[in-house]
Amino acid sequence: MLIRREDAADADAIHAITNAAFARPGQPPGEDTPEATLVGELRAGPAWLPALSLVAVTPAGEVVGHVLCTRGHVGHDPVLGLGPLAVRPDHQGRGVGSALVHAVIGAADALGEPLVALLGDPGYYARFGFRLSSDYQVTPPDPGWQPHFQVRVLAGYQPSVRGPFAYPEPFNRV
Ligand SMILES: CC(C)(COP(=O)(O)OP(=O)(O)OC[C@H]1O[C@@H](n2cnc3c(N)ncnc32)[C@H](O)[C@@H]1OP(=O)(O)O)[C@@H](O)C(=O)NCCC(=O)NCCS
């Protein structure tokens, strides 16, 4: 398994993987999931960060996983929002998701970013150093997200980065 930046030929595979990973029971075939639509809208918008959209590729060259961070804010400070994270269902449970999360955190850290925020299961994300956002006085866009809204601080973090977190605009439509 290799992790590399998304390139121009990967968009269709990423779309298919995101649809497969987030498919709901009973979802009509051919209908896009909100997460797959979101990735496309993010890619087309100003919050997209090409250095932080990564794919996992098998030795045969098949794309089987994707992660991205896009530009969010805590108050007026630029930070990152992670997600959607998707691994093709037939490749789940083999470490692909973990490799992607470790890689995107490392890339964000190398870029000098202060923190990464996400909405997800703490039982999964704690292993990557995520803690509840309240530990850093960062509040989620919806107070109901509190038990699942998490932050991973990076080398560029300063405690002055605190307050309300905002995802880039396409997230508001999901
Ligand atoms: C969540 C997801 C990205 C994980 O990728 P993966 O390649 O299957 O994960 P890994 O193989 O690296 O890690 C597997 C570990 O994560 C755990 N795990 C997977 N999904 C989890 C979840 N939702 N909550 C808690 N733990 C989870 C597994 O139990 C396993 O634990 P273990 O290492 O202690 O045995 C993948 O299952 C997926 O695409 N799911 C559907 C989309 C989704 O939910 N995305 C995340 C939204 S925040």
Side-chain angles (χ1 to χ4, degrees):
M1 189 67 55
L2 294 176
I3 307 292
R4 62 160 172 79
R5 272 173 65 161
E6 171 186 339
D7 69 28
D10 294 326
D12 288 349
I14 291 168
H15 190 77
I17 290 163
T18 310
N19 266 333
F22 286 96
R24 275 75 169 168
Q27 180 154 327
E31 187 174 289
D32 286 336
T33 61
E35 291 81 4
T37 303
L38 173 62
V39 172
E41 292 186 3
L42 287 167
R43 190 185 287 107
W48 187 256
L49 301 168
L52 297 178
S53 179
L54 307 181
V55 290
V57 185
T58 67
E62 198 175 8
V63 176
V64 295
H66 176 242
V67 69
L68 78 167
C69 289
T70 50
R71 179 59 69 215
H73 290 85
V74 170
H76 294 294
D77 289 312
V79 302
L80 298 172
L82 188 153
L85 163 68
V87 175
R88 211 171 74 185
D90 60 338
H91 279 70
Q92 290 178 5
R94 301 183 197 172
V96 176
S98 297
L100 284 164
V101 175
H102 281 302
V104 84
I105 289 173
D109 205 17
L111 289 170
E113 294 285 342
L115 64 82
V116 183
L118 60 78
L119 181 64
D121 186 340
Y124 183 61
Y125 288 103
R127 69 190 71 188
F128 308 109
F130 283 88
R131 289 163 50 178
L132 290 182
S133 70
S134 52
D135 289 1
Y136 302 105
Q137 296 174 272
V138 173
T139 52
D142 179 333
W145 295 1
Q146 197 77 67
H148 297 104
F149 196 68
Q150 300 159 70
V151 162
R152 166 67 145 86
V153 295
L154 305 173
Y157 172 72
Q158 299 288 337
S160 59
V161 182
R162 60 178 189 263
F165 174 84
Y167 276 112
E169 193 277 330
F171 277 87
N172 301 333
R173 287 181 254 142
V174 176

